[in-house]
Amino acid sequence: MSHRAALADDSELADEYRAGAGKAEMPSHASASGNEAPSASMPARPRILLVGDKSFTSLLKYILDSNGFDCLLIGTLADAIAAATVARPGVIALDDMSCGDRLAGALEQLQRTPATQHVPTLIMASAPPRFEDECIHADRTSYILKPFLPDIFIDRLRGLLRASASFGPKVLRFADIVMESEAHRVSRGGRCIRLCPVEYRILQHLLESPRKVFSREQILSSIRAHTQENAVRSIDVHISRIRKALCERGEPNYIRTVRGLGYSLDFAPDGPTTYVPRPELVRSTRSCDDRMG
């Protein structure tokens, strides 16, 4: 099927959406006031990864950007997985023509990769796919047949976003770090991370607001209901233990120390670096269980 036939009456629709979009298209990551800094990890607009040939997805991007979405054009599945690690999309819209006859394998790869396994997938399909029996998370995977109307495509995306939001905040993610709130479980790259309750709640606090810098006092306040710990400097000890657990196998350290301010969950400013714990912090750490109220 031709890409030009994938959108119903595509040339007329393009003119219609361009007319309604205003004089100029605001960059999708900018705020209307221009006062808010862009955040790659927690976008204000729902972020969609459009995976497929640019001749097809570029028009979709224009339409979606004009309707309140933040879209990234991705050519291949491998690039989509790499982008999802940083972009944290709300939905991945996958053109089945980019997968050939390997759609089931592509879905399996998305659902087994930590950065994408909890992200709903909408397949833009040339024919009804037969993935129900092979798809690990069929409840989070849907499809829309080409050609389709943009309004129907937008409604389908919003439906997947609503369904995903109804679960939670059951799952928090940053890069390859995944926290499943209901299961009270943390993993990194599929490896189970063992944290005591206080450390778990500190990491949860950071995961809920990536790239935001929290002072020690703010972090202590966030866990005070779950511990009798009152010493602000004890936060340094807990952060050290969290880093040690997350970076046990040489993974990059994403908990950034902001001198004079506190801590932030962020990508290392100078690239991936392995965390080496300070011996004096490790030696001075008491059991977290003794601190629980």
Side-chain angles (χ1 to χ4, degrees):
M1 177 180 295
S2 168
H3 282 303
R4 297 295 295 173
L7 283 175
D9 298 326
D10 125 314
S11 60
E12 295 180 8
L13 287 166
D15 293 339
E16 178 183 345
Y17 276 94
R18 287 189 185 98
K23 295 181 180 179
E25 182 184 356
M26 179 181 292
S28 59
H29 60 268
S31 66
S33 65
N35 295 327
E36 296 181 8
S39 170
S41 59
M42 295 291 289
R45 293 148 60 102
R47 177 161 292 166
I48 311 298
L49 292 192
L50 293 171
V51 186
D53 188 87
K54 190 175 181 180
S55 63
F56 171 44
T57 58
S58 57
L59 178 59
L60 283 176
K61 172 176 167 56
Y62 187 91
I63 294 170
L64 292 179
D65 283 350
S66 302
N67 281 269
F69 293 87
D70 181 16
C71 298
L72 297 178
L73 297 183
I74 307 294
T76 67
L77 184 68
D79 288 341
I81 291 174
T85 301
V86 178
R88 301 182 66 202
V91 175
I92 295 174
L94 177 66
D95 182 12
D96 66 346
M97 293 183 68
S98 67
C99 303
D101 58 355
R102 301 184 301 275
L103 180 59
L107 290 174
E108 182 178 0
Q109 187 175 355
L110 286 172
Q111 293 158 358
R112 293 191 184 279
T113 301
T116 58
Q117 62 183 350
H118 299 289
V119 181
T121 302
L122 177 61
I123 301 165
M124 298 175 282
S126 305
R130 298 179 179 179
F131 58 79
E132 287 81 358
D133 295 334
E134 304 174 41
C135 188
I136 301 172
H137 299 300
D139 58 327
R140 292 200 295 270
T141 306
S142 185
Y143 71 90
I144 183 170
L145 287 177
K146 299 181 287 188
F148 50 77
L149 291 172
D151 287 347
I152 296 176
F153 183 63
I154 290 170
D155 287 344
R156 191 67 60 83
L157 289 175
R158 287 176 174 159
L160 285 172
L161 288 166
R162 283 193 299 269
S164 179
S166 69
F167 286 100
K170 293 182 180 178
V171 178
L172 298 171
R173 298 187 308 275
F174 185 84
D176 57 348
I177 302 170
V178 179
M179 174 176 284
E180 300 173 74
S181 299
E182 285 196 342
H184 207 79
R185 180 183 295 123
V186 178
S187 62
R188 182 164 196 184
R191 172 173 65 89
C192 182
I193 305 297
R194 299 188 180 277
L195 300 173
C196 76
V198 172
E199 294 161 3
Y200 179 92
R201 289 184 175 94
I202 291 175
L203 181 59
Q204 182 180 36
H205 189 65
L206 296 175
L207 281 168
E208 287 172 348
S209 301
R211 292 188 171 85
K212 181 176 180 180
V213 179
F214 293 97
S215 67
R216 294 175 178 86
E217 290 80 4
Q218 289 173 318
I219 296 174
L220 182 61
S221 177
S222 73
I223 64 171
R224 189 160 281 151
H226 308 284
T227 179
Q228 295 178 347
E229 183 64 69
N230 292 312
V232 171
R233 283 292 172 179
S234 67
I235 298 301
D236 295 342
V237 177
H238 291 305
I239 291 290
S240 177
R241 290 173 60 90
I242 295 170
R243 281 170 167 163
K244 182 180 179 182
L246 290 175
C247 305
E248 183 179 356
R249 297 186 181 177
E251 297 93 338
N253 168 38
Y254 291 148
I255 300 181
R256 182 167 65 100
T257 300
V258 183
R259 293 188 181 276
L261 293 177
Y263 297 101
S264 173
L265 189 65
D266 203 343
F267 293 102
D270 54 353
T273 53
T274 300
Y275 172 68
V276 179
R278 290 165 53 189
E280 65 271 20
L281 289 180
V282 176
R283 284 198 300 269
S284 65
T285 303
R286 297 177 296 177
S287 169
C288 288
D289 294 334
D290 294 340
R291 298 193 181 98
M292 296 299 294

